[in-house]
Amino acid sequence: MYKFLEDTAGSYMTRTITTVTRDTTIRELGDMFDRDDFNTYPVVENDEVIGIVTKFDVLKCFAFTPNQMLPRYSDLMNRTVADVMTSEFIYVRPDTKLTRVLQLMVEHRIRSLPVTDGDNRLVGIIAREDIVRALAAAAKD
């Protein structure tokens, strides 16, 4: 268990990352969610992470109230990631301890976090499954 206290995001993050741009449509994003079985995609522009988009962000654009008319389905599907993405997001660095990553995930109910370098360039993504894998590895020691 003590090994987990020393492990970092860089040791367990996924380095091959699928990203989207602001111009990706909700329709394309939906296809990507189905194909990749991911819950979150980093939004990248000029090699920098500018936001994240989640399945929840997409679902929010379909929610309506009695005061709000629901647009046609085709209109919603043609909206872009820029319309629904979260611009203020939590990220970690490769040297962030997994204990801190776990704390952020639990505190903010986040499934995955982008891992960025000092220039806000995406170097990986760390998900709950990665944390579970690190805990299992630490339990074996």
Side-chain angles (χ1 to χ4, degrees), residues 28-41:
E28 293 167 327
L29 186 62
D31 292 342
M32 291 174 69
F33 281 134
D34 287 343
R35 179 191 70 222
D36 299 333
D37 194 30
F38 294 160
N39 289 298
T40 304
Y41 289 102

Side-chain angles (χ1 to χ4, degrees), residues 17-52:
I17 313 122
T18 304
T19 63
V20 296
T21 67
R22 293 173 179 261
D23 299 328
T24 304
T25 67
I26 299 302
R27 183 179 314 281
E28 293 167 327
L29 186 62
D31 292 342
M32 291 174 69
F33 281 134
D34 287 343
R35 179 191 70 222
D36 299 333
D37 194 30
F38 294 160
N39 289 298
T40 304
Y41 289 102
V43 183
V44 176
E45 184 174 273
N46 299 324
D47 292 329
E48 287 188 20
V49 183
I50 59 166
I52 59 167

